[in-house]
Amino acid sequence: FDFAARNGRTYRLNVDAILDANDPATWQVRDGSYLPPERLLKETDYSNPDLFRYVLLGVPRSTKTDARVKAFIKDVHDRPYIPGSSVKGALRTALAWTGWNEVKPKLDRAAIGRSKSWAGQPLEKRLFGPDPNHDLLRALHVADFRNEQSATDSLVLVNAQVITPRHMQSPIELEAVKTKVAFHGSITVDDALFSSFAERELHFSNRKKWLDEMLARALAHSRARMQTLAEWYEKADGCEAIAKFYRQLLDAKVGANKTLLQIGWGAGWDGKTFGTHLQQDKDLFEQVVTDFRMHKAGPNSPARKRGDAFPRSRRAVVSVKDNVAKALAPLGWVVVEMKAI
């Protein structure tokens, strides 16, 4: 409804402008329904920028009227940005994963809980603090990361799919950030929460080093995931390019004051949870998978067996030629560089 695909590009429509440029009598057809805005466009209209919010290289595979595109988050001026909450969430996951062996939380069914919305909250409290007012990451402030470029300049439309070791399924079309596009924001630590006065109430001092070592800890978490992901893609059909990407990323020299993070929609289950720590007790993990119905598979898929890989699928950008799909790249990997100001 709000985009048109033409000549290898996707045009995000300015629906109000298109309706204003056409006589209302032309909107409706005989059966009383209304034409999609794209049908009101003439050939010459595609050279009128006022009728489009932005234009992206790439087109959806589906030509159906109800085809969908997952939009990248933008401000009111259609400029893409990365929410600070996405970056902070990825850092929080990394700090929890690396701090696990220092805190040694008790892992049992009670520690995971029964609510899917609040699963693992007792473990989080053990790692970060008993409630939001006493949570270590109160001290970490992450602003939104912004880019002054327009969506046309910084985004591309990609075709993605859910990939299992033997199949590619569930086609998804989405707006994604082009490679080598920079966003800028601020990450600050509130040192006042580590003062002797605050320590009497908050008891953060024993974990201040988590924030001091934040980039190194995030990189350790990312490298552990990269190793797992490289091995997973090496065993999956048609995924040689992604396996090679992860092997190259593992060998990359990141440099001081930098880390690698995978953020957002493409990160998957292991990028947003305690990951491998939850899988240490195989019997407990299988119970959790069953209780929360985490094993999602089609009716013709084999039943899950104890010890099977989890998750069983990943999301990745693909190319399709002659009805054959090949995985090209994972989603969501960024370099985070911090500079003192």
Side-chain angles (χ1 to χ4, degrees):
F1 184 86
D2 60 351
F3 66 86
R6 184 175 179 274
N7 296 335
R9 285 176 165 74
T10 297
Y11 293 74
R12 185 67 78 164
L13 309 182
N14 183 339
V15 176
D16 288 343
I18 292 172
L19 295 179
D20 286 343
N22 287 271
D23 187 331
T26 65
W27 302 353
Q28 198 169 26
V29 293
R30 289 182 180 179
D31 64 0
S33 62
Y34 289 86
L35 291 172
E38 177 191 6
R39 296 273 299 278
L40 300 175
L41 292 171
K42 301 181 290 293
E43 181 69 24
T44 55
D45 288 336
Y46 283 92
S47 60
N48 181 358
D50 293 338
L51 301 180
F52 307 101
R53 290 165 50 192
Y54 51 89
V55 183
L56 305 181
L57 187 64
V59 295
R61 285 162 287 186
S62 175
T63 57
K64 296 179 179 178
T65 304
D66 64 346
R68 314 261 174 112
V69 171
K70 292 180 71 71
F72 196 90
I73 191 167
K74 307 174 195 71
D75 64 17
V76 295
H77 303 291
D78 277 332
R79 292 178 302 210
Y81 70 95
I82 297 174
S85 57
S86 295
V87 177
K88 184 172 181 178
L91 291 170
R92 185 182 183 91
T93 298
L95 293 176
W97 188 86
T98 55
W100 182 282
N101 290 331
E102 299 167 40
V103 175
K104 294 181 170 52
K106 182 180 178 181
L107 180 61
D108 56 19
R109 191 65 189 82
I112 296 170
R114 298 289 172 180
S115 167
K116 192 170 185 177
S117 300
W118 298 101
Q121 193 174 57
L123 295 170
E124 267 207 282
K125 289 180 177 180
R126 184 79 176 84
L127 288 159
F128 291 111
D131 57 60
N133 289 328
H134 296 80
D135 190 293
L136 174 69
L137 291 204
R138 273 190 65 191
L140 181 67
H141 305 282
V142 184
D144 293 340
F145 288 75
R146 302 209 169 258
N147 174 352
E148 295 306 314
Q149 291 181 316
S150 67
T152 299
D153 295 328
S154 53
L155 298 181
V156 64
L157 190 135
V158 299
N159 308 133
Q161 286 193 235
V162 174
I163 298 174
T164 62
R166 297 295 172 262
H167 299 95
M168 296 186 191
Q169 52 203 15
S170 304
I172 309 156
E173 322 299 337
L174 64 147
E175 299 173 353
V177 178
K178 295 177 181 178
T179 58
K180 299 181 182 178
V181 172
F183 292 79
H184 302 275
S186 63
I187 299 176
T188 56
V189 175
D190 186 352
D191 286 333
L193 298 183
F194 296 98
S195 67
S196 57
F197 176 78
E199 177 62 16
R200 291 196 291 270
E201 171 65 26
L202 298 176
H203 311 296
F204 285 167
S205 63
N206 63 330
R207 285 164 297 155
K208 185 177 187 298
K209 67 176 183 177
W210 289 17
L211 298 183
D212 294 338
E213 302 166 356
M214 182 169 57
L215 295 186
R217 287 171 176 260
L219 187 59
H221 177 243
S222 291
R223 289 199 185 281
R225 292 189 60 242
M226 288 173 204
Q227 181 66 41
T228 300
L229 289 164
E231 294 170 359
W232 190 92
Y233 278 107
E234 283 168 347
K235 297 174 183 176
D237 292 344
C239 295
E240 297 82 4
I242 298 185
K244 181 180 179 181
F245 168 85
Y246 277 117
R247 289 299 177 191
Q248 291 174 333
L249 207 58
L250 278 165
D251 292 337
K253 292 179 172 55
V254 177
N257 301 319
K258 295 181 182 179
T259 192
L260 298 168
L261 281 180
Q262 191 181 26
I263 60 176
W265 178 82
W269 177 84
D270 53 323
K272 301 178 181 179
T273 65
F274 301 123
T276 52
H277 295 307
L278 297 178
Q279 296 168 310
Q280 291 173 355
D281 185 330
K282 291 188 175 8
D283 291 328
L284 174 61
F285 186 70
E286 292 303 325
Q287 184 182 352
V288 171
V289 169
T290 300
D291 290 349
F292 290 145
R293 299 180 181 178
M294 293 161 58
H295 179 64
K296 302 185 187 303
N300 298 321
S301 301
R304 177 176 172 80
K305 299 190 296 292
R306 180 183 182 275
D308 282 354
F310 187 92
R312 69 184 296 272
S313 64
R314 312 282 179 181
R315 293 165 171 165
V317 177
V318 302
S319 68
V320 182
K321 186 175 182 180
D322 298 328
N323 292 322
V324 177
K326 283 202 168 186
L328 293 182
L331 293 151
W333 282 102
V334 298
V335 178
V336 178
E337 180 180 11
M338 294 180 67
K339 297 180 180 179
I341 56 173

